[in-house]
């Protein structure tokens, strides 16, 4: 998603945007305004005669009725995210652009905070939530956010359509927007996306024709570069193989549509293989609406049509850009480009009115599912929600709980953590992130209900805390080593809270290295050297850092990564440090050494390594080099053991007699579809279960994520390891649990070949859970 004020063809200069922002936040008014809605039959009985207002007939019929009543000029207005509406039909402007990445955000013109609703619950930034690997939690957050969104809509402060979540793969640690995503793994990203979308969208009745609010999975596709060494997302041409598209970049979007029933997909700014995604018929009409069968609308990123014309020079005229994108399958434009140029495109014969009808029908159908055409929302489901339902104690506790579940304990020498509060007379709390508020909520944020900073969280438990920032801010141009080391030397325990904020990594800003910014490393090292007692290093950031120096520093007993932990981050950090919560988060992305980014240009989209050029590949699925901390790493105060109870050693596929693989000894793989993959035809034998027993062998209750990885035979550049599934369990001391994974040979054990075809590799597949390994032979 783009923020219009950041686009090169800026329609909102920085100062103006700043003033707009200030006026949103600091000119609160008590006036309760009505939400926008159409078909106010109770207020104007003549509207009752319109078919589109008739809630008793099917949505398609209502949409057809509405489209039939509109003039061409009115229709064109409905291609835009703002300034639409048809007052002669009782349809007010509907503002489409709102954001709810991890709470209702003030970004986008549809939402604002006022005295009536001054704030909304700010959950942790998505990358930390993902680290919880808890799918029911992902959905619970979505549900809380949609309740707050509906409550704000009812008092005229928010819309019904939210352009969240961001499910691009976090393929490079420098990416400024990695923080917004669920990490580097397609399986986790897909599960996160589906659960969060369902949490936002699903109504209590579960009717797929109704939406609580509309979600949007973005940015399709292969978008994950902001601005790196002069390369900008607005003009970047991502050169991507079909194989990488199919097995890395597209799966989260596919899951959003097929499993999540998401109401919207947003196309991205960048080009993929020379085509701007918002004007690519193969992507929009072929894949998203055709193969995946999107039930909803496709929206452009903000100003991306202006960009594909003006900055990418993909078309000669703006009319051609308008026509190409609509013909490609775009339904809605964030901004005014289609509103300005579509009429001339029709006049020039580049598109027909019927093409516009198709696009706006998708937009109207979505608004119908949201109840926008059903009259006063007060009389509809969720109509009773209001300010009292925002920032509830329950939602704020869920924000704290999410941070607890996500925090990753990276290092803990000899059980140094948890700390026992009674043994601490003075606690030194040092670092530029030790007492931050806004930093904790990352980007695409709202106004928090209230904050608990790390220092405030720790102060609640320990009587004497002494605080020093160490550096002015995270850029740490200069460090006050004298004061910081003196403090650490006088305290029983030292907690350092370091890392990043939006000045280091954000939308439009990628990092260029993986070192802690400025003099942070020096500060950490000197403080550790001077410290009287154990040192706990807390890293607050979206992306990972090369903290090898701290990993190897004997004085630094423990290291925690806390993402951007949300409004209640300080509570969660203290709960983990003092053992009121047993950490159970696992890294959703690889932490690479600095040498990695020196070898790998951000612009190289290839996931797979290349031996010839020395390119090391990306993410745990392909990169086999040294890591600082690996994908999935995360310690507990307890320990857990796994025992394999059931898994097949051999699965043979039944091929038709004519199949070439039966007569050839060189057959390494076969299609993961066709009669041999029809599970009903082969009596269900393609499905099997992997059963494990998990035991809490430590002496504390805790949660533990069981990761089931597979290593396929080496064919078609298959991944070295791939996450087949994960399951989180909560176990008391000595308690055991059974964990079952349902596996389908064709669906779950297949790989994508060089031209994008799913194949089952024949031979030995290795299943791993922790140090457990099991070999499964697939034969014909
Ligand atoms: C009632 O709705 C009709 C149809 O949209 C419109 O022509 C008329 O002006 C409306 N009346 C009032 C009082 O708003
Ligand atoms: C559309 O036209 C309006 C009015 O002329 C102008 O302010 C706006 O910048 C235009 N938008 C685009 C994307 O060209
Ligand atoms: C910590 O931050 C909070 C919130 O901004 C502030 O009220 C408090 O004074 C700060 N504490 C110290 C010791 O600076
Ligand atoms: C960080 O502090 C430095 C001075 O130490 C200052 O120049 C810079 O503007 C600050 N950065 C931010 C984002 O506030
Ligand atoms: C698991 O934890 C218990 C108690 O904390 C400890 O005695 C045992 O050695 C640990 N086992 C392993 C394999 O780490
Ligand atoms: C997942 O999150 C939910 C909601 O907070 C919680 O009730 C549950 O215990 C968590 N699951 C595990 C295994 O920790």
């Amino acid at each position: 998603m783009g923020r219009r004020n950041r686009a090169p063809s800026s329609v909102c200069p920085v100062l103006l945007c700043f003033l707009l922002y200030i006026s949103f936040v600091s000119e609160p008014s008590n006036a309760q305004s009505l939400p926008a809605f159409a078909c106010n039959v109770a207020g104007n009985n003549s509207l009752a005669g319109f078919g589109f207002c008739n809630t008793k007939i099917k949505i398609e019929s209502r949409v057809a009725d509405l489209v039939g009543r509109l003039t061409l000029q009115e229709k064109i207005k409905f291609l835009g995210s703002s300034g639409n509406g048809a007052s002669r039909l009782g349809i007010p402007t509907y503002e489409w652009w709102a954001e709810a990445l991890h709470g209702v955000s003030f970004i986008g013109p549809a939402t604002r905070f006022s005295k009536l609703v001054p704030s909304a619950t700010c959950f942790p930034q998505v990358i930390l939530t993902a680290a919880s690997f808890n799918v029911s939690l992902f959905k619970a957050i979505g549900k809380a956010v949609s309740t707050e969104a509906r409550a704000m809509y009812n008092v005229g402060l928010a819309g019904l359509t939210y352009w969240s979540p961001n499910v691009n793969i976090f393929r490079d640690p420098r990416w400024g927007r990695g923080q917004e995503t669920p990490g580097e793994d397609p399986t986790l990203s897909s599960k996160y996306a589906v659960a969060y979308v369902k949490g936002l969208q699903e109504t209590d009745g579960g009717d797929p024709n109704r939406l609580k609010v509309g979600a949007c999975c973005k940015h399709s596709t292969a978008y994950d570069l902001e601005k790196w060494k002069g390369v900008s997302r607005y003009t970047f041409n991502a050169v991507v193989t079909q194989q990488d598209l199919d097995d890395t970049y597209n799966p989260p979007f596919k899951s959003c549509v097929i499993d999540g029933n998401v109401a919207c997909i947003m196309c991205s700014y960048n080009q993929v293989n020379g085509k701007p995604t918002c004007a690519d018929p193969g992507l929009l009409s072929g894949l998203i609406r055709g193969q995946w069968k999107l039930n909803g609308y496709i929206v452009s990123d903000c100003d991306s049509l202006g960009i594909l014309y003006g900055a990418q020079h993909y078309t000669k005229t703006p009319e051609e850009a308008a026509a190409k994108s609509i013909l490609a399958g775009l339904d809605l434009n964030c901004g005014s480009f289609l509103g300005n140029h579509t009429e001339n495109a029709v006049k020039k014969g580049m598109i027909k009115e019927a093409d516009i009808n198709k696009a706006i029908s998708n937009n109207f159908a979505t608004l119908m599912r949201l109840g926008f055409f059903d009259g006063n929302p007060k009389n509809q489901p969720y109509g009773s929600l209001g300010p009292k339902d925002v920032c509830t104690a329950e939602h704020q506790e869920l924000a704290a709980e999410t941070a607890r579940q996500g925090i990753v304990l990276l290092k803990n020498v000899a059980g140094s953590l948890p700390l026992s509060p009674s043994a601490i007379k003075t606690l030194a709390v040092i670092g530029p992130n030790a007492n931050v508020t806004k930093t904790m909520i990352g980007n695409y944020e709202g106004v928090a209900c209230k904050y608990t900073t790390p220092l405030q969280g720790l102060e609640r438990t320990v009587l004497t805390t002494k605080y020093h920032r160490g550096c002015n801010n995270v850029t740490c141009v200069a460090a006050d080593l004298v004061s910081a080391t003196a403090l650490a030397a006088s305290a029983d325990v030292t907690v350092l809270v370091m890392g990043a904020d939006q000045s280091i990594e954000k939308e439009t800003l990628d990092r260029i290295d993986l070192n802690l910014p400025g003099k942070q490393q020096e500060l950490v090292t000197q403080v550790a050297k001077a410290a009287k007692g154990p040192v706990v290093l807390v890293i607050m950031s979206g992306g990972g850092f090369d903290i090898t120096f701290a990993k190897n520093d004997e004085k630094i007993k423990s290291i925690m990564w806390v993402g951007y932990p949300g409004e209640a981050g300080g509570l969660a950090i203290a709960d983990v440090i003092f053992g009121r919560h047993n950490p159970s988060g696992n890294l959703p992305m690889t932490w690479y050494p600095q040498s990695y980014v020196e070898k790998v240009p951000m612009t190289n989209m290839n996931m797979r390594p290349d031996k010839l050029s020395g390119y090391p590949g990306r993410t745990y699925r392909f990169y086999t080099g040294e890591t600082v901390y690996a994908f999935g790493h995360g310690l507990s105060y307890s320990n857990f053991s796994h025992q394999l109870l059931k898994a097949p050693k051999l699965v043979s596929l039944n091929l038709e007699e004519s199949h070439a693989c039966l007569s050839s000894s060189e057959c390494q793989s076969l299609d993961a579809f066709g009669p041999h993959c029809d599970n009903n035809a082969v009596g269900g034998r393609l499905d099997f279960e992997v059963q494990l027993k998990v035991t809490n062998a430590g002496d504390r209750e805790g949660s533990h994520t069981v990761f089931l990885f597979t290593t396929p035979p080496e064919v078609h550049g298959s991944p070295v390891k791939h996450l087949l599934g994960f399951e989180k369990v909560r176990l008391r001391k000595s308690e055991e649990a059974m964990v079952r994974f349902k596996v389908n040979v064709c669906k779950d054990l297949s790989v994508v070949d060089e031209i994008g075809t799913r194949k089952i590799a024949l031979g030995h597949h290795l299943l791993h859970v922790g140090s457990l390994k099991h070999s499964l032979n697939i034969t014909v």
Side-chain angles (χ1 to χ4, degrees):
M1 172 56 244
R3 299 163 64 160
R4 206 179 312 179
N5 50 330
R6 301 284 163 81
S9 57
S10 186
V11 288
C12 168
V14 172
L15 180 63
L16 176 61
C17 280
F18 181 68
L19 294 174
L20 280 173
Y21 168 80
I22 292 294
S23 69
F24 282 162
V25 181
S26 67
E27 260 178 39
S29 96
N30 251 333
Q32 168 162 350
S33 45
L34 273 180
F37 64 93
C39 298
N40 187 10
V41 175
N44 179 344
N45 200 39
S46 65
L47 301 177
F50 293 143
F52 69 84
C53 290
N54 182 354
T55 56
K56 305 226 159 56
I57 61 175
K58 285 203 310 203
I59 283 179
E60 302 89 274
S61 315
R62 298 175 70 185
V63 169
D65 176 82
L66 174 54
V67 171
R69 291 175 193 275
L70 297 172
T71 65
L72 176 64
Q73 286 71 25
E74 284 169 336
K75 289 175 183 176
I76 288 170
K77 287 205 292 175
F78 283 106
L79 294 169
S81 58
S82 295
N84 49 41
S87 54
R88 69 179 181 92
L89 299 173
I91 306 173
T93 292
Y94 177 73
E95 184 56 71
W96 287 82
W97 182 8
E99 303 278 346
L101 184 68
H102 52 114
V104 178
S105 167
F106 54 68
I107 290 168
T111 313
R112 67 202 165 84
F113 291 95
S114 72
K115 261 190 195 145
L116 196 58
V117 181
S119 55
T121 311
C122 287
F123 291 89
Q125 185 58 293
V126 177
I127 191 75
L128 188 74
T129 299
S132 74
F133 282 86
N134 183 342
V135 178
S136 58
L137 177 64
F138 303 157
K139 187 169 178 186
I141 298 168
K143 208 171 162 192
V145 171
S146 56
T147 294
E148 298 199 351
R150 268 283 172 180
M152 289 178 70
Y153 168 72
N154 286 343
V155 292
L157 294 174
L160 295 169
T161 44
Y162 291 83
W163 293 343
S164 310
N166 179 345
V167 298
N168 290 117
I169 292 292
F170 192 0
R171 75 176 167 110
D172 188 296
R174 291 162 286 195
W175 187 30
R177 301 186 74 176
Q179 58 180 301
E180 298 172 31
T181 75
E184 74 183 23
D185 179 61
T187 304
L188 172 62
S189 296
S190 295
K191 291 203 178 197
Y192 173 83
V194 171
Y196 190 67
V197 165
K198 285 186 169 180
L200 287 179
Q201 292 195 160
E202 274 182 4
T203 57
D204 296 336
D207 178 354
N209 277 319
R210 304 292 304 189
L211 295 167
K212 189 175 173 192
V213 302
C216 190
C217 290
K218 66 193 186 185
H219 318 72
S220 175
T221 191
Y223 161 60
D224 41 26
L225 174 151
E226 299 301 303
K227 194 168 194 180
W228 178 80
K229 297 196 178 172
V231 181
S232 148
R233 61 178 179 167
Y234 301 117
T235 47
F236 178 52
N237 176 23
V239 177
V240 194
T241 65
Q242 193 60 44
Q243 189 174 28
D244 286 343
L245 276 175
D246 285 349
D247 81 353
T248 297
Y249 294 108
N250 286 342
F253 294 98
K254 184 177 178 182
S255 299
C256 274
V257 175
I258 293 178
D259 304 316
N261 193 19
V262 76
C264 160
I265 294 284
M266 178 183 285
C267 46
S268 55
Y269 288 118
N270 57 292
Q271 300 188 343
V272 174
N273 300 329
K275 280 192 192 137
T277 57
C278 291
D280 181 355
L283 178 65
L284 307 190
S285 297
L287 197 60
I288 298 172
R289 196 171 292 285
Q291 284 183 39
W292 300 344
K293 303 197 175 7
L294 171 72
N295 175 19
Y297 65 102
I298 300 179
V299 64
S300 73
D301 205 334
C302 294
D303 280 350
S304 66
L305 304 184
I307 286 161
L308 73 87
Y309 159 67
Q312 298 179 5
H313 309 294
Y314 186 69
T315 63
K316 289 205 176 62
T317 62
E319 292 77 23
E320 193 190 341
K324 278 212 155 117
S325 54
I326 295 170
L327 288 173
L330 190 79
D331 303 309
L332 187 74
N333 166 217
C334 174
S336 49
F337 190 89
L338 286 185
N340 289 3
H341 302 296
T342 305
E343 193 171 352
N344 279 337
V346 175
K347 282 191 184 137
K348 290 184 179 172
M350 293 169 161
I351 45 166
K352 297 190 291 294
E353 192 162 346
D355 302 315
I356 295 166
N357 292 348
K358 208 167 105 188
I360 57 174
S361 294
N362 290 325
N363 303 338
F364 289 142
T366 307
L367 289 178
M368 300 245 172
R369 292 165 73 202
L370 286 160
F372 182 77
F373 287 96
D374 294 356
N376 197 331
K378 281 266 171 293
N379 309 317
Q380 293 177 43
Y382 306 107
S384 62
L385 294 175
K388 66 178 189 321
D389 300 295
V390 184
C391 287
T392 58
E394 192 194 337
H395 291 174
Q396 294 193 58
E397 167 53 25
L398 189 62
E401 175 60 17
T402 305
R404 283 181 207 114
Q405 291 196 30
I407 288 174
V408 183
L409 183 62
L410 296 170
K411 173 182 178 182
N412 194 21
V413 173
S416 178
L417 286 183
L419 299 177
S420 154
S422 58
I424 302 169
K425 281 206 214 69
T426 51
L427 179 72
V429 185
I430 299 172
N433 276 341
N435 197 35
V436 289
T437 53
K438 282 192 172 171
T439 298
M440 293 197 297
I441 61 176
N443 69 351
Y444 283 87
E445 74 281 29
V447 179
C449 314
K450 71 162 188 252
Y451 288 108
T452 306
T453 72
L455 176 63
Q456 290 167 336
L458 295 165
E459 274 170 352
R460 290 192 184 188
T461 304
V462 178
L463 279 180
T464 315
T465 54
K466 290 186 175 166
Y467 161 67
H468 196 277
R469 276 195 298 185
C471 335
N472 253 354
N473 56 39
V474 289
T475 59
C476 205
V477 185
D480 186 347
L481 297 175
V482 176
S483 312
T485 52
L487 191 56
S490 71
D492 300 315
V493 177
T494 297
V495 176
L496 280 156
V497 191
M498 312 300 290
D501 66 13
Q502 303 299 307
S503 70
I504 306 293
E505 49 178 2
K506 66 171 178 184
E507 182 165 14
T508 71
L509 179 67
D510 295 317
R511 285 188 286 162
I512 48 168
D513 66 46
L514 301 182
N515 299 319
L516 285 177
K519 297 220 155 61
Q520 285 197 39
Q521 173 167 338
E522 191 181 349
L523 178 68
V524 172
T525 306
Q526 294 304 322
V527 164
K529 202 166 149 198
K532 184 170 83 176
V535 175
V536 181
L537 173 61
V538 177
I539 302 289
M540 191 180 286
S541 71
F545 282 100
D546 183 347
I547 49 166
T548 308
F549 75 94
K551 194 178 169 184
N552 296 336
D553 188 324
E554 284 176 9
K555 289 290 289 287
I556 301 173
K557 302 287 183 199
S558 324
I559 306 177
M560 287 157 66
W561 173 70
V562 301
Y564 293 120
E567 61 173 51
L571 290 177
I573 291 168
D575 285 343
V576 171
I577 288 181
F578 294 111
R580 294 183 294 258
H581 178 82
N582 187 353
S584 63
N586 300 88
L587 289 180
M589 75 297 203
T590 306
W591 283 37
Y592 300 89
Q594 167 62 17
S595 58
Y596 179 84
V597 297
E598 284 160 11
K599 273 191 282 230
V600 177
M602 241 193 120
T603 45
N604 189 332
M605 299 298 290
N606 290 325
M607 297 303 297
R608 287 155 169 85
D610 178 7
K611 285 208 181 80
L612 281 180
S613 67
Y615 178 72
R618 294 181 179 276
T619 78
Y620 82 90
R621 289 164 63 235
F622 300 101
Y623 170 72
T624 52
E626 193 193 324
T627 61
V628 179
Y629 289 110
F631 174 86
H633 178 69
L635 305 171
S636 164
Y637 296 151
S638 193
N639 55 41
F640 297 85
S641 67
H642 306 118
Q643 192 189 338
L644 186 67
L645 297 182
K646 193 177 144 196
K649 290 202 161 70
L650 178 76
V651 176
S652 46
L653 299 164
N654 270 11
L655 297 186
E656 321 93 275
E657 278 170 28
S658 59
H659 199 287
C661 272
L662 281 181
S663 53
S664 159
S665 59
E666 274 158 37
C667 196
Q668 290 190 305
S669 70
L670 44 138
D671 289 346
F673 46 85
H676 57 276
C677 278
D678 178 347
N679 205 28
N680 290 329
V682 298
R685 51 189 290 193
L686 298 172
D687 282 342
F688 64 84
E689 246 185 33
V690 175
Q691 280 184 19
L692 294 141
K693 189 169 81 182
V694 190
T695 309
N696 183 344
D699 48 18
R700 266 171 193 268
E701 176 169 1
S703 292
H704 170 71
T705 299
V706 181
F707 292 94
L708 176 62
F709 289 101
T710 66
T711 298
E714 263 183 65
V715 59
H716 304 305
S718 55
V720 285
K721 193 166 128 177
H722 172 76
L723 185 60
L724 196 154
F726 58 87
E727 190 70 47
K728 195 168 197 178
V729 289
R730 186 167 183 82
L731 294 173
R732 289 186 300 273
K733 179 184 168 185
S734 306
E735 197 183 355
E736 300 175 349
M738 291 272 286
V739 174
R740 295 182 163 86
F741 293 95
K742 284 199 163 54
V743 182
N744 178 282
V745 173
C746 297
K747 191 168 150 267
D748 300 310
L749 294 182
S750 54
V751 296
V752 174
D753 77 2
E754 294 79 353
I755 56 168
T757 310
R758 274 219 163 257
K759 297 275 189 181
I760 314 166
L762 297 176
H764 289 276
H765 292 243
L766 208 57
L767 302 178
H768 351 195
V769 178
S771 55
L772 247 178
K773 296 213 177 5
H774 173 82
S775 175
L776 164 67
N777 193 9
I778 301 183
T779 64
V780 291

